[in-house]
Amino acid sequence: MIRRQNQIVVLLMLLCVIGGGVHAVQAQFAQADRDSINRYSYLDFQEMKKSLSIEIENRPGPSGDPLAANAANTDESNVRSYSLPNPLMFSDGKKVTNQKDWWAKRRSEIVNDFESEVYGRLPETLPKVNWVVKSVKDTIVGSFPVQEKTMLGIVDNSAFPEIKVEIELVVGTPKEATGPVPVVMEFGFINWPFGKRAPEPNYFMSAYEPLWKQQLLSQGWGYAILVPSSIQADHGAGLKSGIIGLVNKGAARAPEEWGVLRAWAWGASRALDYFEKDADVDQKKIAIEGTSRYGKAALVTMAFDARISLGFIGSSGEGGASIMRRNFGEQVENLASSSEYHWFCGNFIKYASSLTIDDLPVDAHELITLCAPRPVFISAGSHFIEGQWVDAKGMFLAGVHAQPVYQLLGAKGLGTNDFPVLGFPLINGEIAFRQHAGGHSTGPNWSTWIAWAHRYWDK
Ligand code: GCU
C-alpha cells in the first residue's frame, strides 16, 4: 500500500517537473518572440527615421515606475504652462464664428493635421471586406439568454495573396429582442492563446458588479467584441503585414501613412458596415468602447467615423484623450519611441526628436472636437490604484477645451472647469467624465455610462 502511494507521489512529481519544464520552454519561446519583435520593431523604427531624415537620437521618455530616478511627473505643482491650439481658430488666424465655418472648413483642417502628423492617412484605395457568419449559437450570459454570432471579415487580398487578413468579431443580442437593438462594440479579446476562452476584462471585480455584457443585456441592449490584433499586430515589427502591410504589398510605410490605431479604427468601421446589414442591430445606436491603447483606438474610431453614436473612452491617456502638452504622466517621447511609434504615423516621431510637442498643430482636445456634437464619455480609474500614467486630469482638461466646439454645435460640455473629486460623475452633457474608484479598466464606470447613454438611446 505504502509502495503504491510512493509510486503515485513519484508519478505526480514527475508530471510536475514535466509540466514545469513545458512552462519554462513556453516562457523561453515567448521571451524569444518578444526579443525578435523588439528587434524588428527597432529596425522598422530606424528605417522610418531615415525616411524622415532624422539623424539625431529621440529624446527618452520618462519612466512609468514612480520609484525610478526618471519617473514621470505626477506633481501638479510641476506642471509647466503651455498654450493649446484653438479649435475655433482657422489656421490663418481667423475666428470660427458659426456652425457652417466648422463643418465647411475648420473641422477638415483639424482632420488634416491629425492625419498628417499624428494618426496617419488611410490609403486611397482599400480592399473590400466580405463578412461571413462562422457560427450562430444560443447561449446564456449571466442569466440572460443571448444569440451570439461569430463573424469573420475576410479582406480581399487578391492584390497581394501573401498577406491574409481576417477580422474577428462577435456580436451578442438579447434572445428575446423583437427588433434591432443598440449595441456597444468593445475593442477586446475573444480567445486567449491556446484556444481558451478569454476571461472577462473586469473579471476580478465581478463579485459585486455584473460584467459589462450582463449590464448591457439587462437594458435590452447587445454587445460586440472586435479583435484588434486580427486587423493589425500591436508592434512595429508587424507593420509590413496585417491590413497596413497588405495595402503596401509588404513594403514599409511612408511617413504620412496610417499607424496601428487608425488601422484598428478602420476595422471598426468595417464592422459598422456589417451592422448596417444585421437586422438584429440598430445601426443608429452603436457605441464604441475600449481601455488604454484600445481606449485610444475607440476615440480615434469615433473621431473619424460619424456613424458611431456614443463613445466610452477608457483610460486612454497620452495619444488618446490626455492633453499631450501637459507634462504629467506619459509623454510624447514615450509614444514616439520604438515600442509605441507604430500606433501613429511616421511623422509623429518628429515631435520627440527634431521638434517638440509645442510644435504639434493639434492636441487631444481637438480629437474630441472631431466627435462633436456626438456624446462622448471620458473614463479614468483612481490614481491610487491605476496610477498616474494615464493622467486623468489631462483627460478631463481635454474635455474642458473641447467644450467650445460642442457649444457652437448646440450641445453641452462638462459644465465645469474644475476637476471633480474621485467618483463624481459629470454626466449632464454631451461630454461626460468620471474617474471611478477602481483600476485600469472601464469596469466600475459601466453603470454610470449606461445611465448616461439612456438619455440618447431612449429617444
Ligand atoms: C502603456 C502605454 C500606454 C498604453 C498602455 C496600454 O502603458 O504607455 O500609452 O495606453 O500601455 O495600452 O496598456
Side-chain angles (χ1 to χ4, degrees):
M1 182 67 183
I2 292 190
R3 244 185 85 198
R4 184 154 186 157
Q5 272 181 357
N6 282 346
Q7 279 172 350
I8 293 173
V9 169
V10 169
L11 192 70
L12 284 175
M13 280 167 61
L14 208 69
L15 284 175
C16 285
V17 170
I18 294 173
V22 169
H23 279 300
V25 170
Q26 274 175 358
Q28 263 172 24
F29 272 129
Q31 187 52 43
D33 282 356
R34 208 55 252 166
D35 288 349
S36 71
I37 284 172
N38 289 345
R39 205 169 46 248
Y40 283 109
S41 296
Y42 189 70
L43 288 175
D44 180 83
F45 172 75
Q46 290 297 356
E47 207 177 320
M48 179 54 84
K49 282 187 73 175
K50 218 181 210 168
S51 41
L52 289 162
S53 309
I54 301 175
E55 281 164 17
I56 53 170
E57 290 284 313
N58 276 35
R59 296 183 300 277
S63 169
D65 173 0
L67 300 175
N70 62 335
N73 178 40
T74 56
D75 180 347
E76 217 39 69
S77 66
N78 288 336
V79 172
R80 70 189 185 114
S81 66
Y82 51 85
S83 68
L84 289 176
N86 182 350
L88 290 183
M89 187 177 279
F90 289 111
S91 54
D92 65 9
K94 293 210 184 87
K95 283 220 167 97
V96 174
T97 55
N98 55 50
Q99 296 187 4
K100 191 167 164 274
D101 280 353
W102 173 259
W103 292 117
K105 194 165 160 231
R106 178 58 185 148
R107 189 179 187 280
S108 17
E109 284 183 353
I110 296 175
V111 166
N112 187 52
D113 286 340
F114 273 115
E115 291 197 316
S116 104
E117 304 303 304
V118 186
Y119 301 108
R121 289 187 198 290
L122 295 190
E124 249 160 50
T125 51
L126 271 151
K128 290 242 150 41
V129 176
N130 180 29
W131 285 100
V132 297
V133 186
K134 267 189 73 189
S135 68
V136 184
K137 64 171 186 199
D138 288 346
T139 180
I140 306 277
V141 176
S143 57
F144 303 97
V146 173
Q147 185 202 61
E148 205 176 78
K149 300 187 204 96
T150 301
M151 306 292 306
L152 215 48
I154 300 174
V155 182
D156 176 4
N157 66 345
S158 50
F160 197 70
E162 287 91 320
I163 297 175
K164 195 166 114 177
V165 181
E166 294 184 348
I167 307 175
E168 293 169 33
L169 175 73
V170 161
V171 190
T173 45
K175 184 73 193 150
E176 67 267 24
T178 50
V181 298
V183 165
V184 179
M185 175 159 62
E186 170 173 282
F187 282 105
F189 308 90
I190 299 172
N191 288 307
W192 234 218
F194 315 117
K196 284 194 203 131
R197 190 93 188 146
E200 294 293 336
N202 29 330
Y203 179 77
F204 295 105
M205 31 163 339
S206 62
Y208 304 104
E209 183 171 289
L211 300 174
W212 68 286
K213 290 178 189 168
Q214 296 172 37
Q215 292 194 52
L216 291 171
L217 293 164
S218 73
Q219 311 301 309
W221 299 346
Y223 60 84
I225 301 174
L226 179 71
V227 181
S229 60
S230 68
I231 304 163
Q232 185 64 43
D234 190 3
H235 44 71
L239 288 167
K240 290 172 186 145
S241 49
I243 184 63
I244 296 179
L246 173 58
V247 175
N248 281 338
K249 300 194 165 66
R253 295 182 301 167
E256 277 207 359
E257 282 173 10
W258 52 342
V260 170
L261 292 171
R262 198 82 208 271
W264 290 341
W266 170 83
S269 291
R270 302 294 67 79
L272 292 179
D273 299 344
Y274 158 72
F275 289 138
E276 286 175 358
K277 298 192 182 106
D278 185 333
D280 297 327
V281 175
D282 182 345
Q283 46 166 303
K284 292 260 164 358
K285 293 177 182 167
I286 296 170
I288 189 88
E289 182 260 350
T291 295
S292 213
R293 68 198 64 189
Y294 296 163
K296 305 185 211 299
L299 185 53
V300 173
T301 303
M302 186 167 178
F304 285 98
D305 196 321
R307 292 174 294 176
I308 295 287
S309 127
L310 305 178
F312 187 7
I313 313 300
S315 298
S316 59
E318 186 90 356
S322 266
I323 294 288
M324 289 189 266
R325 279 167 172 77
R326 215 174 101 88
N327 58 321
F328 193 103
E330 186 170 20
Q331 296 295 288
V332 69
E333 284 79 9
N334 303 95
L335 294 179
S337 72
S338 67
S339 54
E340 294 178 5
Y341 78 104
H342 59 277
W343 292 336
F344 308 93
C345 64
N347 275 336
F348 192 59
I349 299 174
K350 293 185 298 189
Y351 299 93
S353 52
S354 51
L355 300 173
T356 77
I357 196 64
D358 292 319
D359 299 307
L360 192 67
V362 282
D363 209 317
H365 60 305
E366 289 171 301
L367 189 61
I368 298 172
T369 69
L370 297 184
C371 304
R374 288 167 294 147
V376 61
F377 186 115
I378 302 165
S379 168
S382 157
H383 43 276
F384 298 116
I385 299 180
E386 174 170 57
Q388 307 262 43
W389 191 240
V390 302
D391 187 11
K393 186 170 176 190
M395 296 194 275
F396 165 80
L397 288 173
V400 169
H401 294 290
Q403 216 152 243
V405 175
Y406 272 75
Q407 285 162 348
L408 178 78
L409 301 178
K412 272 205 275 182
L414 289 160
T416 177
N417 292 349
D418 297 330
F419 188 53
V421 295
L422 184 71
F424 190 86
L426 293 174
I427 50 170
N428 293 329
E430 281 66 56
I431 304 175
F433 176 87
R434 182 170 182 258
Q435 184 182 25
H436 62 65
H440 196 50
S441 153
T442 47
N445 260 346
W446 272 102
S447 50
T448 308
W449 186 86
I450 287 172
W452 171 81
H454 266 292
R455 230 185 19 242
Y456 306 103
W457 280 356
D458 288 350
K459 278 180 195 158

